[in-house]
Amino acid sequence: MKDEMHPLRYEVYLGKAISMKVLQTERLVLSQLSTKDAAFLLELLNSPGWLKYIGDRGVKTIEDAEKYVQDGPMKSYRENGFGINRVSLKKDGTVLGICGLIKREQLEDVDIGFAFLPSFAGQGYAYEAASAILAFGREQLGLQKIVAITTQDNDASIKLVLKLGLRFSKLIDWPGEERPLMLFTT
């Protein structure tokens, strides 16, 4: 089945973000996050893998999660035309995780990011979503180079970025991290 690609769109209705479909794959739908995703984000941002490999973002309440999505993904949609997206199952809408493109001040290039709830690990969803996001970045946004960063002990993320075709470039110092992060590039 051929993936349908849709340009990123951001809309607001009565001050609330409306989540717009970004793209879909055989099994998944990737959509922009909105404040309606606060409960899911609260769970994801406090999952053991997120806390270990990405870090505590201080998101402890639904209100914190709403602010997180407003100040992060929704701001990125407005400013960059892309950002982190909700990943859900096409068949029933179950939300699995997040995946998308991020423009960070610390990096010269746009990077791909992803995180999934532990119960959906090892089922190929991260690879399927990240592959679609890489294709979207290249084909729809015209990005020649996309990078990824990860901690040196995050074996699952390292395995995924290598499977996506990115190659290790170098270690980089990162604010707030004791050890340098690994930088991968297309």
Side-chain angles (χ1 to χ4, degrees):
M1 176 185 289
K2 184 170 169 59
D3 293 350
E4 290 181 13
M5 297 297 211
H6 302 276
L8 286 162
R9 295 184 294 151
Y10 173 81
E11 294 184 11
V12 174
Y13 177 73
L14 299 178
K16 294 283 187 180
I18 299 171
S19 182
M20 303 300 293
K21 181 167 52 172
V22 175
L23 57 93
Q24 58 183 313
T25 68
E26 185 176 334
R27 300 183 296 168
L28 306 173
V29 175
L30 286 78
S31 307
Q32 292 178 349
L33 289 162
S34 76
T35 54
K36 292 180 181 180
D37 296 304
F40 155 71
L41 287 170
L42 182 62
E43 181 182 357
L44 180 66
L45 273 61
N46 289 288
S47 66
W50 183 285
L51 293 171
K52 180 177 180 179
Y53 298 119
I54 299 173
D56 189 345
R57 297 295 187 251
V59 176
K60 303 301 178 199
T61 66
I62 293 292
E63 293 76 19
D64 292 342
E66 289 174 345
K67 182 167 175 30
Y68 178 88
V69 76
Q70 289 170 341
D71 294 347
M74 290 171 61
K75 181 179 178 186
S76 181
Y77 305 147
R78 289 189 307 271
E79 293 179 359
N80 302 311
F82 57 81
I84 287 291
N85 306 292
R86 175 184 59 241
V87 178
S88 56
L89 288 175
K90 188 187 288 186
K91 68 179 180 184
D92 64 11
T94 301
V95 182
L96 314 175
I98 58 175
C99 184
L101 299 170
I102 309 162
K103 181 59 189 128
R104 301 179 198 269
E105 291 179 20
Q106 302 94 324
L107 295 174
E108 188 174 316
D109 299 293
V110 172
D111 94 284
I112 187 168
F114 46 82
F116 286 76
L117 292 170
S119 57
F120 299 107
Q123 299 175 50
Y125 296 127
Y127 177 75
E128 187 173 332
S131 294
I133 287 293
L134 283 176
F136 181 85
R138 290 181 186 120
E139 297 166 15
Q140 302 296 316
L141 301 177
L143 298 173
Q144 300 297 313
K145 185 177 178 185
I146 299 173
V147 300
I149 54 173
T150 186
T151 58
Q152 296 178 50
D153 60 343
N154 190 342
D155 295 334
S157 286
I158 293 167
K159 182 179 175 182
L160 177 57
V161 296
L162 291 172
K163 185 176 180 180
L164 290 166
L166 282 79
R167 297 292 170 242
F168 175 72
S169 176
K170 62 184 176 180
L171 294 175
I172 58 171
D173 291 324
W174 196 262
E177 291 290 330
E178 293 177 15
R179 296 175 51 199
L181 296 182
M182 298 177 77
L183 176 71
F184 295 83
T185 185
T186 53

